[in-house]
Amino acid sequence: MKYEPRKIDPIPEQNLIRGKKEMAYEPRKIEKKWQKIWEEKGIFRAEDFSKKPKFYILDMFPYPSAEGIHVGHPRGYIATDIFVHLMRRKGFNVLHPMGWDAFGLPAENYAIKTGIHPEISTKKNIKRIKEQMKMIGLGYDWSREINTTDPEYYKITQEIFLLLYKMGLAYEAVLPINFCPSCKTGLANEEVIDGKCERCGTEVTKKNLRQWVLKITAYADKLLKDLDLIDWPEKIKEMQRNWIGRSEGWTIKFQIPNSKFQIEVFTTRIDTLFGCTYLVVAPEHEIISNLKSQISNLKQVQDYIEESKKKLERERISEVKEKTGIELKGIKAINPINGREIPIFVADYVLPHYGTGAVMAVPCHDQRDFDFARKFNLPMIEVIKPYEEKKELPKEAPLIISDGRYQRAYEGEGFLINSGRFTGMKSEEAREAIGQFLAKKNLAKKAVYYKLRDWIFSRQRYWGEPIPIVHCQKCGIVPLDEKDLPLKLPKVEKYQPTGTGESPLAAISDWVNTKCPKCGGPAKRETNTMPQWAGSCWYFIAYLLHQNKKYFWQKEKIDYWLPVDLYVGGAEHAVLHLLYARFWTKVLYDAGWIKFKEPFLKLRNQGLILAPDGQKMSKSRGNVINPDPLIEKYGADAFRLYEMFMGPFEEVISWDPKGIVGTKRFLDKVWNLFGKEKSVISEKEDREIEKLIHKTIKKVTEDIENFRFNTAVSALMILVNELQNKNYGIWHLKTLLLLLAPFAPHICEELWQIHFVKSLKSKVYSSIHFQPWPKYDPKLIKEEMITLVIQVNGKVRDKIEVEADISEEKAKELALSREKIKKWIEGKKIKKIIFVPGKLINIVV
Ligand SMILES: [Zn+2]
Ligand SMILES: [Zn+2]
């Protein structure tokens, strides 16, 4: 690709310190100067509709917390910044924007404590973090900065909500939801971590609340299938697959004798149906109320159901707690495959919303059923023999096996036994055969079930996007007209959630009471607000729409820039933001608003940086490391280098306070290389250094491209150490700067301006960050070959051509594999192997 230098107005001479050499390297002096010049010149701005190929690189935008950023936060930002430098200099038109995900609980909790409006505290926090980012020298295109709490921004969030509503993907429901008693708000399943509130750690309870719910389940299949289209870490894809939890199987009807009712179960193991000896239904199952009059122990059953209502879902399905249950006496079900009457139990480990809310129990082949059957002394029938045990297939094994022979259920596949006409089949064949057999009698149907549930999309809080809906006494739910957006958050006196299931907005009667847009009659506004995930579901589009403090839907820009080519952020968002954003993207695609199906083509996750004590950094532990004093002392360049050098990008790693001292020393060395260059050096010396330089170009380029920043830095360190001990020319240092510039942009710009711009006799400000990325000469990096002599007991037996720097390990392996050598050592014990690098290898037998 041809590189076209960008024309930039000359900067005033006084801003350049060409020719004047600083005696010592004083990073902060240099860094502040260049940061100011870069910003004034707008050198990191992206150009819409440029003819160059586009590259959109995105960081997960932060929540502007009051603490500012600690040393763990910029790891991803520095990495993307380096990547941007590389791509821009390779000739791409690069977009790298930054913004603020500013709705959410911390700002609101702060407002409750202090009475300061979240808007004010948020503004203050943003200002501080932005300063920190600039201090690190991150080259964002700040002209596109966004903020999800800007009414102009959430106008579009609200428009998308109305789109979801009109597409039938947003609906109202009264649901028992996860409720945080401390935050006094409902939570999505994704926000409950080990039964606790993701935000505050309080144990989550259940509460019936009127909710807005998004039908993400309608996109379950697309969300699953399109994972194949994107280059994401396999670990994240697997987490999404498990979260969506698709399983294929059959629904089977079990008739209740002497009634018109039946119980439907879903199973992935219809091959074990002959082993089903009872059914279990959830306490919420309708069969209990439908057949109330026939249940002889109704009182006990109702007591049991009352008791289970007090339990959390997590307790109900807990592996450690003993399973409880009670038989529904007076009614039975018919196993459709063998006509046998079997008992029905109600047990709270069965959840109403998983599958059909009823399960067929096969004690011999499901551990949970096994434990339950043991406890209630229920019959067990073995119907699957593991394949490996098959010496002779038993014709018909003894039928009821409840004699304590087994300690565990066998859950694997195998040959069917005790299964009538299906005996002898493999599990896989039997699933189809038994399924089809019952399907013909209309007793079974192929089915697919998902673990994924619809997304609870409302919060009973103040600091979120108002939901643009009114409730009219006559018309019911009425969406606002788009021209009436944004529906702005009103000012309130108190931010406290009421805890009654209503948000603080409910208390502002002149906001709540309104006119119905449809009939003009009296109506009330929706008082729930959107969850903090709403704004981040589409923010990657918002950067393209922001212009003069307004947001417009600009199709051409969207088509030019999107989808995002590279997305970098923490892995903790695997099933939250990363799933929600994919969902909204698919909805916008189906609505024709955008032309891409997946928002983020490539995703990389940075590892967490821990405190030096190996703990997660947190305010409460008092181990948070603030980058500001480190940058003041050692400079942003040394800070950036250490962040990248400390270890592999994806790995969790502890901060080492000494690390930055080392990278600062490295930059001192770079600085001191200048002025010691020779004007004439021998061809041999030149060639040697050129070879190392071209190897370094290759290594640094490929390492950045593959997110191996730590080894890229170490390659640069090796180069600098070599130069220190050799005679080198200024032209060698030029390439060094060109390679180091993405990592340490300030010192490289300074040295570039002093030593190279002047020599170009150019009056034009020619930033190092616009110089074409260096290319390596493949001929120069080709390893030299040598002839390696192979001896056996000191006698030459073979010779091979190998790379000059072949390792001992590799030389041994190669020598021992040679046919000519094999015949000399066959059957003999190798006593030792002597390796003389670059010359010979001697095998002593
Ligand atoms: Zn909470
Ligand atoms: Zn109305």
Side-chain angles (χ1 to χ4, degrees):
M1 184 157 327
K2 212 175 156 282
Y3 171 77
E4 300 161 30
R6 194 157 145 161
K7 295 281 179 294
I8 288 175
D9 301 335
I11 50 166
E13 274 297 320
Q14 64 266 29
N15 283 350
L16 290 175
I17 37 168
R18 285 179 189 165
K20 183 189 153 215
K21 277 177 201 160
E22 299 284 339
M23 290 315 287
Y25 168 44
E26 286 178 70
R28 278 317 275 160
K29 220 166 121 184
I30 294 171
E31 288 169 1
K32 281 179 188 152
K33 176 182 70 184
W34 288 113
Q35 282 166 8
K36 195 163 158 269
I37 296 174
W38 293 337
E39 189 163 341
E40 280 166 11
K41 298 278 157 195
I43 73 162
F44 298 124
R45 265 185 221 155
E47 196 187 322
D48 295 320
F49 314 116
S50 146
K51 289 221 169 58
K52 292 179 194 172
K54 69 96 184 180
F55 196 87
Y56 186 174
I57 180 164
L58 187 64
D59 294 299
M60 288 184 186
F61 67 160
Y63 174 79
S65 89
E67 284 91 52
I69 55 177
H70 63 58
V71 295
H73 293 116
R75 193 180 191 182
Y77 307 152
I78 296 169
T80 51
D81 196 52
I82 291 167
F83 207 97
V84 165
H85 276 279
L86 172 74
M87 293 306 280
R88 185 187 298 117
R89 290 173 53 195
K90 277 168 91 179
F92 286 85
N93 180 28
V94 185
L95 172 60
H96 191 210
M98 184 42 85
W100 315 100
D101 191 13
F103 273 129
L105 286 178
E108 184 165 335
N109 288 340
Y110 183 75
I112 291 168
K113 226 165 54 191
T114 62
I116 295 170
H117 193 278
E119 202 180 298
I120 293 163
S121 57
T122 301
K123 266 205 184 110
K124 206 178 105 209
N125 299 345
I126 288 175
K127 186 167 171 280
R128 155 124 175 83
I129 297 179
K130 204 167 158 182
E131 273 166 17
Q132 286 185 299
M133 287 178 165
K134 288 186 172 175
M135 192 176 179
I136 299 169
L138 300 170
Y140 290 116
D141 181 349
W142 287 110
S143 69
R144 298 171 194 256
E145 180 180 353
I146 55 164
N147 180 337
T148 55
T149 64
D150 177 349
E152 278 293 314
Y153 183 104
Y154 66 68
K155 178 186 77 184
I156 297 184
T157 313
Q158 290 171 335
E159 276 174 18
I160 299 174
F161 180 86
L162 291 179
L163 174 74
L164 286 155
Y165 178 76
K166 282 165 197 164
M167 288 171 79
L169 295 167
Y171 62 95
E172 231 188 356
V174 174
L175 288 174
I177 58 142
N178 304 306
F179 189 82
C180 173
S182 165
C183 299
K184 292 186 182 153
T185 187
L187 301 171
N189 292 317
E190 291 84 345
E191 292 168 308
V192 181
I193 313 290
D194 295 330
K196 297 195 172 98
C197 169
E198 185 216 31
R199 275 271 57 116
C200 72
T202 306
E203 191 88 19
V204 169
T205 59
K206 285 271 161 195
K207 190 168 183 147
N208 275 319
L209 282 178
R210 185 185 58 82
Q211 298 290 339
W212 279 95
V213 185
L214 297 190
K215 211 172 184 171
I216 190 171
T217 51
Y219 281 78
D221 254 333
K222 283 181 181 169
L223 288 167
L224 198 63
K225 220 173 67 222
D226 290 352
L227 283 173
D228 296 339
L229 303 178
I230 47 183
D231 172 14
W232 285 21
E234 196 44 46
K235 182 184 68 179
I236 304 284
K237 287 193 188 182
E238 201 49 33
M239 283 168 83
Q240 292 210 350
R241 280 188 201 109
N242 290 337
W243 190 260
I244 296 165
R246 182 183 200 272
S247 45
E248 269 179 46
W250 294 81
T251 50
I252 309 169
K253 285 179 193 162
F254 288 70
Q255 293 291 341
I256 312 287
N258 312 320
S259 92
K260 59 177 180 170
F261 295 106
Q262 46 197 213
I263 295 174
E264 248 188 13
V265 305
F266 171 75
T267 178
T268 57
R269 291 299 303 272
I270 197 172
D271 53 316
T272 64
L273 186 54
F274 280 88
C276 166
T277 52
Y278 61 95
L279 294 185
V280 189
V281 299
E284 296 84 352
H285 201 282
E286 57 189 9
I287 200 76
I288 301 166
S289 51
N290 284 342
L291 292 175
K292 216 159 43 187
S293 58
Q294 292 177 47
I295 299 172
S296 57
N297 58 341
L298 190 65
K299 176 78 183 68
Q300 285 111 300
V301 169
Q302 280 168 341
D303 288 348
Y304 177 81
I305 293 171
E306 275 313 307
E307 204 49 43
S308 74
K309 274 187 191 159
K310 292 180 197 152
K311 289 191 203 167
L312 292 172
E313 196 166 287
R314 188 168 59 100
E315 288 174 307
R316 286 173 59 170
I317 57 172
S318 160
E319 290 295 327
V320 274
K321 292 219 174 96
E322 202 179 345
K323 306 285 175 291
T324 61
I326 181 167
E327 188 179 346
L328 298 175
K329 294 217 165 105
I331 59 170
K332 298 265 184 208
I334 305 279
N335 184 339
I337 196 70
N338 54 16
R340 209 169 279 143
E341 270 195 4
I342 55 175
I344 306 166
F345 281 76
V346 52
D348 59 16
Y349 73 79
V350 177
L351 299 175
H353 43 70
Y354 283 170
T356 59
V359 298
M360 64 177 227
V362 185
C364 277
H365 305 290
D366 181 285
Q367 191 56 39
R368 204 174 51 177
D369 298 343
F370 181 92
D371 296 338
F372 193 86
R374 271 284 180 81
K375 186 173 167 186
F376 292 91
N377 203 20
L378 295 162
M380 301 187 180
I381 306 174
E382 194 185 4
V383 291
I384 304 286
K385 263 269 172 271
Y387 291 128
E388 58 270 27
E389 278 179 24
K390 188 227 166 197
K391 300 248 161 34
E392 213 173 289
L393 190 66
K395 290 224 164 47
E396 204 64 356
L399 213 70
I400 309 288
I401 317 164
S402 185
D403 57 0
R405 258 198 315 142
Y406 295 93
Q407 291 309 308
R408 290 199 64 79
Y410 171 68
E411 294 187 333
E413 306 206 321
F415 290 104
L416 267 65
I417 55 172
N418 291 326
S419 295
R421 59 198 287 191
F422 304 98
T423 295
M425 276 189 183
K426 291 178 172 175
S427 287
E428 200 183 315
E429 304 162 0
R431 279 198 282 276
E432 197 57 27
I434 295 177
Q436 295 301 350
F437 174 78
L438 291 178
K440 274 191 203 116
K441 301 180 175 182
N442 204 19
L443 289 169
K445 221 169 48 205
K446 269 204 170 132
V448 175
Y449 273 85
Y450 296 93
K451 259 197 253 163
L452 183 72
R453 280 185 272 159
D454 281 343
W455 174 14
I456 305 227
F457 193 71
S458 40
R459 299 292 178 272
Q460 296 71 47
R461 304 287 308 215
Y462 170 71
W463 192 229
E465 299 88 345
I467 293 176
I469 291 282
V470 302
H471 300 268
C472 169
Q473 290 166 354
K474 237 170 53 203
C475 320
I477 294 170
V478 182
L480 285 190
D481 204 290
E482 256 129 56
K483 70 172 169 30
D484 295 328
L485 300 182
L487 171 61
K488 287 191 195 173
L489 265 177
K491 303 269 184 246
V492 295
E493 299 272 308
K494 283 188 189 141
Y495 304 98
Q496 273 82 351
T498 57
T500 58
E502 297 258 24
S503 90
L505 294 178
I508 309 171
S509 51
D510 51 349
W511 184 82
V512 172
N513 295 309
T514 183
K515 264 192 228 149
C516 169
K518 208 161 146 191
C519 72
K524 282 188 188 302
R525 288 195 193 283
E526 173 63 56
T527 57
N528 282 330
T529 53
M530 299 188 201
Q532 71 263 40
W533 311 106
S536 60
C537 276
W538 71 278
Y539 81 109
F540 43 93
I541 305 174
Y543 287 118
L544 312 175
L545 312 185
H546 190 194
Q547 221 167 20
N548 303 327
K549 298 187 173 168
K550 296 266 176 203
Y551 290 82
F552 309 94
W553 199 261
Q554 304 178 62
K555 240 177 160 21
E556 294 76 26
K557 275 201 207 172
I558 296 173
D559 293 347
Y560 174 79
W561 282 111
L562 281 158
V564 172
D565 297 284
L566 175 63
Y567 195 29
V568 176
E572 68 273 19
H573 298 286
V575 290
L576 296 161
H577 159 63
L578 286 172
L579 190 65
Y580 297 151
R582 293 184 62 221
F583 166 45
W584 277 37
T585 300
K586 291 182 183 311
V587 172
L588 293 175
Y589 173 83
D590 285 349
W593 288 28
I594 54 175
K595 287 184 182 163
F596 53 97
K597 290 181 184 175
E598 284 290 334
F600 318 119
L601 296 182
K602 181 170 173 166
L603 173 74
R604 292 295 177 264
N605 303 121
Q606 79 270 19
L608 211 61
I609 294 180
L610 303 174
D613 59 7
Q615 302 275 333
K616 216 173 150 175
M617 283 187 218
S618 79
K619 210 172 137 197
S620 58
R621 285 199 188 93
N623 59 0
V624 175
I625 298 180
N626 180 355
D628 303 14
L630 294 172
I631 292 171
E632 276 307 331
K633 186 165 177 197
Y634 301 101
D637 285 336
F639 178 77
R640 293 167 61 109
L641 272 168
Y642 175 55
E643 288 261 337
M644 293 298 100
F645 182 58
M646 64 191 302
F649 182 67
E650 324 72 42
E651 273 175 31
V652 178
I653 202 151
S654 295
W655 183 263
D656 175 2
K658 285 191 234 96
I660 191 167
V661 183
T663 50
K664 166 66 170 49
R665 207 173 294 139
F666 164 70
L667 291 175
D668 287 333
K669 279 189 207 171
V670 172
W671 184 269
N672 292 327
L673 283 174
F674 287 83
K676 299 197 183 80
E677 68 274 5
K678 300 276 185 294
S679 49
V680 186
I681 60 172
S682 76
E683 201 190 320
K684 187 171 168 282
E685 283 172 320
D686 184 39
R687 197 176 153 73
E688 224 173 275
I689 296 175
E690 279 296 314
K691 271 164 88 174
L692 179 61
I693 282 186
H694 282 256
K695 251 173 127 172
T696 312
I697 296 174
K698 180 172 192 280
K699 175 91 180 128
V700 171
T701 312
E702 290 173 358
D703 280 356
I704 297 176
E705 283 167 349
N706 292 294
F707 274 67
R708 294 187 301 252
F709 302 100
N710 58 328
T711 52
V713 175
S714 74
L716 289 163
M717 287 175 167
I718 291 169
L719 175 61
V720 167
N721 285 341
E722 287 290 317
L723 288 173
Q724 269 191 317
N725 302 320
K726 289 198 162 79
N727 289 327
Y728 54 86
I730 189 79
W731 58 95
H732 296 132
L733 298 182
K734 186 173 175 180
T735 316
L736 168 66
L737 289 187
L738 289 172
L739 289 177
L740 182 61
F743 297 87
H746 312 87
I747 186 176
C748 291
E749 182 80 297
E750 177 75 12
L751 291 167
W752 177 258
Q753 297 297 332
I754 296 172
H755 299 280
F756 299 105
V757 174
K758 191 179 62 169
S759 70
L760 295 173
K761 292 203 176 68
S762 166
K763 281 259 176 196
V764 173
Y765 164 57
S766 164
S767 171
I768 190 169
H769 305 308
F770 289 126
Q771 302 309 310
W773 188 251
K775 290 199 174 74
Y776 63 88
D777 179 353
K779 269 182 273 164
L780 274 173
I781 57 165
K782 219 163 123 195
E783 293 296 338
E784 275 176 47
M785 303 299 274
I786 53 141
T787 305
L788 186 75
V789 171
I790 310 175
Q791 300 178 335
V792 178
N793 291 340
K795 289 198 179 106
V796 177
R797 299 298 183 192
D798 200 359
K799 286 175 184 170
I800 40 172
E801 286 284 300
V802 296
E803 287 164 1
D805 63 347
I806 188 168
S807 69
E808 181 165 358
E809 204 60 34
K810 216 166 155 211
K812 272 186 201 169
E813 194 187 306
L814 219 62
L816 294 174
S817 69
R818 304 283 294 180
E819 283 307 319
K820 279 187 190 168
I821 299 302
K822 274 188 188 161
K823 74 176 182 201
W824 293 103
I825 57 173
E826 213 159 51
K828 292 175 186 152
K829 197 170 170 266
I830 295 169
K831 287 184 191 136
K832 67 174 169 185
I833 297 176
I834 302 152
F835 177 63
V836 184
K839 286 209 173 77
L840 65 82
I841 186 162
N842 182 14
I843 303 161
V844 182
V845 293

